[in-house]
């Protein structure tokens, strides 16, 4: 429990037992994190959140060469050793590994011209084209149509 100032909970073979009302504050008054269980079981989901805007929730394993994984449910993972994020896969093989037959970019964007502001690798779309930024402020496009 070193480094967990303000931790007022029980760690034992039964798991993490929060304080009163199924919640526990971790940290100081100015930098406080709230943990809580939701549900009727001791092992219901553990939710953590900050009490001030702009705070980060950092989950990490040790600084040793063999870092661990951070799991999001049972099907998604952040592989800390490689920096890989797997969505719907626990075995990501690149920085963003999505195990699905599609992904979604919800908002259309049309660059104003081929020299509009952009960074290499930016991709966007509208109803007529897919746009790719191939160099700083340099866009190319491919027409799309129905079939």
């Amino acid at each position: 429990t070193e480094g967990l100032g303000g931790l007022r909970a029980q760690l034992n073979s039964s798991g993490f037992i929060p304080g009163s009302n199924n919640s526990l504050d971790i940290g100081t008054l100015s930098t406080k994190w709230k943990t809580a269980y939701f549900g009727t079981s001791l092992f219901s989901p553990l939710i953590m959140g900050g009490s001030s805007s702009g705070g980060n929730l950092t989950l990490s394993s040790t600084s040793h060469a063999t870092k661990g994984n951070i799991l999001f449910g049972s099907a998604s993972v952040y592989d800390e050793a490689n920096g890989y994020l797997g969505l719907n896969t626990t075995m990501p093989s690149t920085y963003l590994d999505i195990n699905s037959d599609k992904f979604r970019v919800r908002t259309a964007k049309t660059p104003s011209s081929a020299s509009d502001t952009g960074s290499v690798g930016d991709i966007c779309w509208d109803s007529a084209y897919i746009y790719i930024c191939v160099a700083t402020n340099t866009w190319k496009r491919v027409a799309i149509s129905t079939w």
Side-chain angles (χ1 to χ4, degrees), residues 48-60:
M48 293 186 74
S51 64
S52 61
S53 62
N56 294 324
L57 173 60
T58 302
L59 302 173
S60 63

Side-chain angles (χ1 to χ4, degrees), residues 103-109 123-125:
F103 68 95
R104 186 172 185 183
V105 177
R106 291 181 177 258
T107 305
K109 173 185 172 30
I123 299 172
C124 53
W125 63 273

